[in-house]
Amino acid sequence: MRRPAARDVGGRSRKDETAPSRGRFINTGNGPTLQPIDIGHSDYMALIDPDTAFWSLVRKDQVGKVLSEGKLLGDYRRKADAFAAEMRKLRFGLKPSAVYFNPTERCNLDCRYCYIPSEMRRHGRHMSRERLMEAMARLDSYFEATLPKTMRPQIVFHGAEPLLNREAVFAAIEAYRERFLFGIQTNATTLDEEAVSFLTDRGVSLGLSLDAASPAVAQRTRRTWDGKGVFDTVVKAMRRLRGYENWSVICTVTKENLRHLDSLVDFFHAEEVPTCLLNIVRCTLPPSRAIKPGDAEAARYFLGALERSHELYRKTGRKLVVANFANILLAIVAPAARRLMCDISPCGGGRCFFALAPNGDLFPCSEFIGIPRFKGGNLFQDDLGDVLKSEAFRQVTERKIEAIDPCGRCAIRHFCGSPCPAEAHEMNGGMSRTGAFCEFYEEQVRYAFRLIADDRYGDFLWDGWDKGMKDTFIAAS
């Protein structure tokens, strides 16, 4: 973890001890090179080592002195090897511990930005209860052999709409509740009282979807096959979950709802949503590109929504954590503590998690379901270890930001990761290309550094986020 106070020169913390490093030269091209970055703050700018994601905030009128005297570089040099090792482990040393499990191809909604082909969602098939239980047994055996005994893997029933195959999903949760942590991402249209009772009694993590605070705006992107909105149904489900800690709401940000994010934050806060995600639309398939907002406009309204969430927190004392931005903050202050793996390269697809289709086909991530060339094998026919090493998976797990232009020269490359490989491949023509957005992520990082400089960043993170962590680098100004 890296956690400077507002007026420190720099800092870094993490969960484990740093090891002594070998000697290095400073400012000769053979050692750490700190790049000065304008973060849009009146007093501070950032110095960043892009290779290790080390950073320091320095007063603008002290930058020359800090670099010329060399104390910061000297202090950092002694820990640079350990910081580099930390990033290598985070990027290349993790094992899969989660599965995005699609128990059905079907969905009762026709959302404009869905990454699953419409024909599959409209006429697809369910995984039978027997087949689903067989899949769970195979996954249980795999994780038992590959993960530490103290670590429980995670199953997130995903979609399409997983609760259309509710009986089979609930049977799996009941049978394996002591072996796995479970989550469900649902459009909430079938999340009735009985379902809520079953899932909350078993501590299942629930993610609902809603794109606006009004039915008219929400219906622009999320609607049934006959064009009807589902706003009222989703709000009823949200209210059934009030008081439950383990739930969130995802909003997909498009040009259709971008200007309404402030009112959505107000609505979520009033409805006592503990965590939300304001996820920028993924542009993997052509329909979603038609509602893609511009980077600058997206950043402006997104950061405005974050500020609105902070105003509400200051007014009421109750947080609405915007989880995808909180993850950017964690990528800066505590890289190994980040909860999502989309904003690092390689991303989590195929190396921290993988996706399972209803017929048993395996993909690096749900974004790739519907793109046959990224099928790595089949759970019922192939060895899972071999699938993870397949060419289809290696296209994703070997996508390094250093090989992407201009990302390989970017100072914040380990805070962004040039997401998403699926949209980079499908929209821009290859894994070595950027994703659909760049400036949008850049502005988030600048904003995050401004929050750190002003010592406000903790207001945007979960309470207790730094439990068990300790400072490993603090250099006073």
PDB file of all heavy atoms in Angstrom, residues 335-358:
ATOM      1  N   PRO A 335      -1.774  -1.285  -4.476  1.00  0.00           N
ATOM      2  CA  PRO A 335      -1.985  -2.070  -5.706  1.00  0.00           C
ATOM      3  C   PRO A 335      -2.476  -3.488  -5.472  1.00  0.00           C
ATOM      4  O   PRO A 335      -3.365  -3.959  -6.184  1.00  0.00           O
ATOM      5  CB  PRO A 335      -0.592  -2.064  -6.363  1.00  0.00           C
ATOM      6  CG  PRO A 335       0.086  -0.862  -5.810  1.00  0.00           C
ATOM      7  CD  PRO A 335      -0.431  -0.678  -4.425  1.00  0.00           C
ATOM      8  N   ALA A 336      -1.915  -4.179  -4.496  1.00  0.00           N
ATOM      9  CA  ALA A 336      -2.275  -5.572  -4.283  1.00  0.00           C
ATOM     10  C   ALA A 336      -3.648  -5.737  -3.638  1.00  0.00           C
ATOM     11  O   ALA A 336      -4.167  -6.842  -3.568  1.00  0.00           O
ATOM     12  CB  ALA A 336      -1.216  -6.261  -3.422  1.00  0.00           C
ATOM     13  N   ALA A 337      -4.253  -4.628  -3.189  1.00  0.00           N
ATOM     14  CA  ALA A 337      -5.551  -4.698  -2.522  1.00  0.00           C
ATOM     15  C   ALA A 337      -6.701  -4.425  -3.469  1.00  0.00           C
ATOM     16  O   ALA A 337      -7.860  -4.487  -3.064  1.00  0.00           O
ATOM     17  CB  ALA A 337      -5.598  -3.708  -1.365  1.00  0.00           C
ATOM     18  N   ARG A 338      -6.408  -4.129  -4.731  1.00  0.00           N
ATOM     19  CA  ARG A 338      -7.501  -3.831  -5.659  1.00  0.00           C
ATOM     20  C   ARG A 338      -8.433  -5.021  -5.775  1.00  0.00           C
ATOM     21  O   ARG A 338      -8.015  -6.182  -5.700  1.00  0.00           O
ATOM     22  CB  ARG A 338      -6.952  -3.412  -7.024  1.00  0.00           C
ATOM     23  CG  ARG A 338      -6.211  -4.479  -7.771  1.00  0.00           C
ATOM     24  CD  ARG A 338      -5.716  -3.948  -9.123  1.00  0.00           C
ATOM     25  NE  ARG A 338      -4.479  -3.198  -8.992  1.00  0.00           N
ATOM     26  CZ  ARG A 338      -3.962  -2.440  -9.954  1.00  0.00           C
ATOM     27  NH1 ARG A 338      -4.570  -2.316 -11.107  1.00  0.00           N
ATOM     28  NH2 ARG A 338      -2.827  -1.800  -9.768  1.00  0.00           N
ATOM     29  N   ARG A 339      -9.707  -4.723  -5.962  1.00  0.00           N
ATOM     30  CA  ARG A 339     -10.727  -5.773  -5.970  1.00  0.00           C
ATOM     31  C   ARG A 339     -11.145  -6.200  -7.370  1.00  0.00           C
ATOM     32  O   ARG A 339     -11.703  -7.275  -7.547  1.00  0.00           O
ATOM     33  CB  ARG A 339     -11.963  -5.290  -5.197  1.00  0.00           C
ATOM     34  CG  ARG A 339     -11.670  -4.929  -3.752  1.00  0.00           C
ATOM     35  CD  ARG A 339     -12.936  -4.629  -2.982  1.00  0.00           C
ATOM     36  NE  ARG A 339     -12.656  -4.276  -1.601  1.00  0.00           N
ATOM     37  CZ  ARG A 339     -13.584  -4.139  -0.656  1.00  0.00           C
ATOM     38  NH1 ARG A 339     -14.860  -4.322  -0.970  1.00  0.00           N
ATOM     39  NH2 ARG A 339     -13.256  -3.808   0.573  1.00  0.00           N
ATOM     40  N   LEU A 340     -10.942  -5.350  -8.345  1.00  0.00           N
ATOM     41  CA  LEU A 340     -11.286  -5.654  -9.724  1.00  0.00           C
ATOM     42  C   LEU A 340     -10.006  -5.758 -10.531  1.00  0.00           C
ATOM     43  O   LEU A 340      -9.002  -5.150 -10.191  1.00  0.00           O
ATOM     44  CB  LEU A 340     -12.193  -4.557 -10.303  1.00  0.00           C
ATOM     45  CG  LEU A 340     -13.458  -4.238  -9.504  1.00  0.00           C
ATOM     46  CD1 LEU A 340     -14.173  -3.030 -10.097  1.00  0.00           C
ATOM     47  CD2 LEU A 340     -14.388  -5.431  -9.433  1.00  0.00           C
ATOM     48  N   MET A 341     -10.046  -6.503 -11.604  1.00  0.00           N
ATOM     49  CA  MET A 341      -8.825  -6.734 -12.378  1.00  0.00           C
ATOM     50  C   MET A 341      -8.978  -6.316 -13.831  1.00  0.00           C
ATOM     51  O   MET A 341      -8.322  -6.869 -14.712  1.00  0.00           O
ATOM     52  CB  MET A 341      -8.425  -8.212 -12.297  1.00  0.00           C
ATOM     53  CG  MET A 341      -7.797  -8.586 -10.974  1.00  0.00           C
ATOM     54  SD  MET A 341      -6.165  -7.835 -10.750  1.00  0.00           S
ATOM     55  CE  MET A 341      -5.793  -8.373  -9.077  1.00  0.00           C
ATOM     56  N   CYS A 342      -9.818  -5.331 -14.090  1.00  0.00           N
ATOM     57  CA  CYS A 342      -9.958  -4.820 -15.451  1.00  0.00           C
ATOM     58  C   CYS A 342      -8.947  -3.726 -15.761  1.00  0.00           C
ATOM     59  O   CYS A 342      -8.603  -3.508 -16.917  1.00  0.00           O
ATOM     60  CB  CYS A 342     -11.370  -4.279 -15.671  1.00  0.00           C
ATOM     61  SG  CYS A 342     -12.650  -5.534 -15.649  1.00  0.00           S
ATOM     62  N   ASP A 343      -8.475  -3.011 -14.726  1.00  0.00           N
ATOM     63  CA  ASP A 343      -7.614  -1.860 -14.947  1.00  0.00           C
ATOM     64  C   ASP A 343      -6.147  -2.169 -14.660  1.00  0.00           C
ATOM     65  O   ASP A 343      -5.422  -1.374 -14.065  1.00  0.00           O
ATOM     66  CB  ASP A 343      -8.090  -0.655 -14.125  1.00  0.00           C
ATOM     67  CG  ASP A 343      -8.336  -1.019 -12.664  1.00  0.00           C
ATOM     68  OD1 ASP A 343      -7.835  -2.061 -12.223  1.00  0.00           O
ATOM     69  OD2 ASP A 343      -9.031  -0.257 -11.982  1.00  0.00           O
ATOM     70  N   ILE A 344      -5.716  -3.337 -15.105  1.00  0.00           N
ATOM     71  CA  ILE A 344      -4.311  -3.701 -15.041  1.00  0.00           C
ATOM     72  C   ILE A 344      -4.032  -4.587 -16.248  1.00  0.00           C
ATOM     73  O   ILE A 344      -4.943  -5.176 -16.836  1.00  0.00           O
ATOM     74  CB  ILE A 344      -3.965  -4.432 -13.725  1.00  0.00           C
ATOM     75  CG1 ILE A 344      -2.454  -4.533 -13.544  1.00  0.00           C
ATOM     76  CG2 ILE A 344      -4.632  -5.795 -13.663  1.00  0.00           C
ATOM     77  CD1 ILE A 344      -2.038  -4.962 -12.167  1.00  0.00           C
ATOM     78  N   SER A 345      -2.789  -4.658 -16.659  1.00  0.00           N
ATOM     79  CA  SER A 345      -2.417  -5.454 -17.827  1.00  0.00           C
ATOM     80  C   SER A 345      -1.308  -6.436 -17.459  1.00  0.00           C
ATOM     81  O   SER A 345      -0.286  -6.021 -16.923  1.00  0.00           O
ATOM     82  CB  SER A 345      -1.938  -4.531 -18.944  1.00  0.00           C
ATOM     83  OG  SER A 345      -1.322  -5.253 -19.970  1.00  0.00           O
ATOM     84  N   PRO A 346      -1.508  -7.729 -17.751  1.00  0.00           N
ATOM     85  CA  PRO A 346      -2.712  -8.341 -18.303  1.00  0.00           C
ATOM     86  C   PRO A 346      -3.892  -8.192 -17.337  1.00  0.00           C
ATOM     87  O   PRO A 346      -3.695  -8.150 -16.131  1.00  0.00           O
ATOM     88  CB  PRO A 346      -2.333  -9.809 -18.471  1.00  0.00           C
ATOM     89  CG  PRO A 346      -0.844  -9.860 -18.398  1.00  0.00           C
ATOM     90  CD  PRO A 346      -0.442  -8.732 -17.520  1.00  0.00           C
ATOM     91  N   CYS A 347      -5.096  -8.148 -17.894  1.00  0.00           N
ATOM     92  CA  CYS A 347      -6.283  -8.054 -17.053  1.00  0.00           C
ATOM     93  C   CYS A 347      -6.505  -9.398 -16.358  1.00  0.00           C
ATOM     94  O   CYS A 347      -5.730 -10.345 -16.514  1.00  0.00           O
ATOM     95  CB  CYS A 347      -7.493  -7.650 -17.878  1.00  0.00           C
ATOM     96  SG  CYS A 347      -8.108  -8.947 -18.975  1.00  0.00           S
ATOM     97  N   GLY A 348      -7.573  -9.495 -15.609  1.00  0.00           N
ATOM     98  CA  GLY A 348      -7.816 -10.731 -14.868  1.00  0.00           C
ATOM     99  C   GLY A 348      -8.324 -11.886 -15.700  1.00  0.00           C
ATOM    100  O   GLY A 348      -8.312 -13.043 -15.243  1.00  0.00           O
ATOM    101  N   GLY A 349      -8.751 -11.608 -16.935  1.00  0.00           N
ATOM    102  CA  GLY A 349      -9.320 -12.658 -17.771  1.00  0.00           C
ATOM    103  C   GLY A 349      -8.351 -13.787 -18.043  1.00  0.00           C
ATOM    104  O   GLY A 349      -7.268 -13.572 -18.580  1.00  0.00           O
ATOM    105  N   GLY A 350      -8.719 -14.989 -17.659  1.00  0.00           N
ATOM    106  CA  GLY A 350      -7.897 -16.165 -17.917  1.00  0.00           C
ATOM    107  C   GLY A 350      -6.807 -16.405 -16.895  1.00  0.00           C
ATOM    108  O   GLY A 350      -6.223 -17.488 -16.887  1.00  0.00           O
ATOM    109  N   ARG A 351      -6.521 -15.421 -16.050  1.00  0.00           N
ATOM    110  CA  ARG A 351      -5.462 -15.629 -15.058  1.00  0.00           C
ATOM    111  C   ARG A 351      -5.942 -15.439 -13.616  1.00  0.00           C
ATOM    112  O   ARG A 351      -5.376 -16.036 -12.705  1.00  0.00           O
ATOM    113  CB  ARG A 351      -4.259 -14.719 -15.323  1.00  0.00           C
ATOM    114  CG  ARG A 351      -4.514 -13.263 -15.149  1.00  0.00           C
ATOM    115  CD  ARG A 351      -3.265 -12.416 -15.428  1.00  0.00           C
ATOM    116  NE  ARG A 351      -3.470 -11.042 -14.985  1.00  0.00           N
ATOM    117  CZ  ARG A 351      -3.174 -10.592 -13.787  1.00  0.00           C
ATOM    118  NH1 ARG A 351      -2.614 -11.406 -12.898  1.00  0.00           N
ATOM    119  NH2 ARG A 351      -3.406  -9.341 -13.440  1.00  0.00           N
ATOM    120  N   CYS A 352      -6.975 -14.637 -13.373  1.00  0.00           N
ATOM    121  CA  CYS A 352      -7.584 -14.524 -12.048  1.00  0.00           C
ATOM    122  C   CYS A 352      -8.972 -15.155 -12.044  1.00  0.00           C
ATOM    123  O   CYS A 352      -9.464 -15.581 -11.004  1.00  0.00           O
ATOM    124  CB  CYS A 352      -7.694 -13.064 -11.625  1.00  0.00           C
ATOM    125  SG  CYS A 352      -6.118 -12.208 -11.504  1.00  0.00           S
ATOM    126  N   PHE A 353      -9.589 -15.179 -13.177  1.00  0.00           N
ATOM    127  CA  PHE A 353     -10.918 -15.761 -13.341  1.00  0.00           C
ATOM    128  C   PHE A 353     -11.082 -16.227 -14.777  1.00  0.00           C
ATOM    129  O   PHE A 353     -10.267 -15.922 -15.651  1.00  0.00           O
ATOM    130  CB  PHE A 353     -12.007 -14.740 -12.984  1.00  0.00           C
ATOM    131  CG  PHE A 353     -11.894 -13.435 -13.739  1.00  0.00           C
ATOM    132  CD1 PHE A 353     -12.350 -13.310 -15.044  1.00  0.00           C
ATOM    133  CD2 PHE A 353     -11.321 -12.329 -13.133  1.00  0.00           C
ATOM    134  CE1 PHE A 353     -12.242 -12.114 -15.736  1.00  0.00           C
ATOM    135  CE2 PHE A 353     -11.206 -11.125 -13.819  1.00  0.00           C
ATOM    136  CZ  PHE A 353     -11.664 -11.023 -15.117  1.00  0.00           C
ATOM    137  N   PHE A 354     -12.143 -16.972 -15.028  1.00  0.00           N
ATOM    138  CA  PHE A 354     -12.497 -17.358 -16.390  1.00  0.00           C
ATOM    139  C   PHE A 354     -14.011 -17.490 -16.451  1.00  0.00           C
ATOM    140  O   PHE A 354     -14.696 -17.440 -15.419  1.00  0.00           O
ATOM    141  CB  PHE A 354     -11.804 -18.653 -16.826  1.00  0.00           C
ATOM    142  CG  PHE A 354     -11.960 -19.806 -15.871  1.00  0.00           C
ATOM    143  CD1 PHE A 354     -13.058 -20.659 -15.950  1.00  0.00           C
ATOM    144  CD2 PHE A 354     -11.003 -20.049 -14.894  1.00  0.00           C
ATOM    145  CE1 PHE A 354     -13.202 -21.723 -15.072  1.00  0.00           C
ATOM    146  CE2 PHE A 354     -11.134 -21.110 -14.010  1.00  0.00           C
ATOM    147  CZ  PHE A 354     -12.237 -21.953 -14.099  1.00  0.00           C
ATOM    148  N   ALA A 355     -14.541 -17.626 -17.654  1.00  0.00           N
ATOM    149  CA  ALA A 355     -15.988 -17.675 -17.837  1.00  0.00           C
ATOM    150  C   ALA A 355     -16.411 -19.032 -18.384  1.00  0.00           C
ATOM    151  O   ALA A 355     -15.714 -19.630 -19.215  1.00  0.00           O
ATOM    152  CB  ALA A 355     -16.437 -16.571 -18.795  1.00  0.00           C
ATOM    153  N   LEU A 356     -17.554 -19.494 -17.910  1.00  0.00           N
ATOM    154  CA  LEU A 356     -18.108 -20.781 -18.315  1.00  0.00           C
ATOM    155  C   LEU A 356     -19.460 -20.560 -18.980  1.00  0.00           C
ATOM    156  O   LEU A 356     -20.367 -19.960 -18.396  1.00  0.00           O
ATOM    157  CB  LEU A 356     -18.277 -21.681 -17.083  1.00  0.00           C
ATOM    158  CG  LEU A 356     -18.959 -23.036 -17.294  1.00  0.00           C
ATOM    159  CD1 LEU A 356     -18.120 -23.934 -18.201  1.00  0.00           C
ATOM    160  CD2 LEU A 356     -19.210 -23.716 -15.949  1.00  0.00           C
ATOM    161  N   ALA A 357     -19.587 -21.020 -20.207  1.00  0.00           N
ATOM    162  CA  ALA A 357     -20.847 -20.908 -20.949  1.00  0.00           C
ATOM    163  C   ALA A 357     -21.766 -22.083 -20.603  1.00  0.00           C
ATOM    164  O   ALA A 357     -21.312 -23.115 -20.085  1.00  0.00           O
ATOM    165  CB  ALA A 357     -20.564 -20.881 -22.453  1.00  0.00           C
ATOM    166  N   PRO A 358     -23.053 -21.985 -20.882  1.00  0.00           N
ATOM    167  CA  PRO A 358     -24.000 -23.039 -20.501  1.00  0.00           C
ATOM    168  C   PRO A 358     -23.714 -24.409 -21.109  1.00  0.00           C
ATOM    169  O   PRO A 358     -24.127 -25.427 -20.555  1.00  0.00           O
ATOM    170  CB  PRO A 358     -25.350 -22.490 -20.994  1.00  0.00           C
ATOM    171  CG  PRO A 358     -25.168 -21.015 -21.007  1.00  0.00           C
ATOM    172  CD  PRO A 358     -23.745 -20.794 -21.417  1.00  0.00           C
TER     173      PRO A 358
END
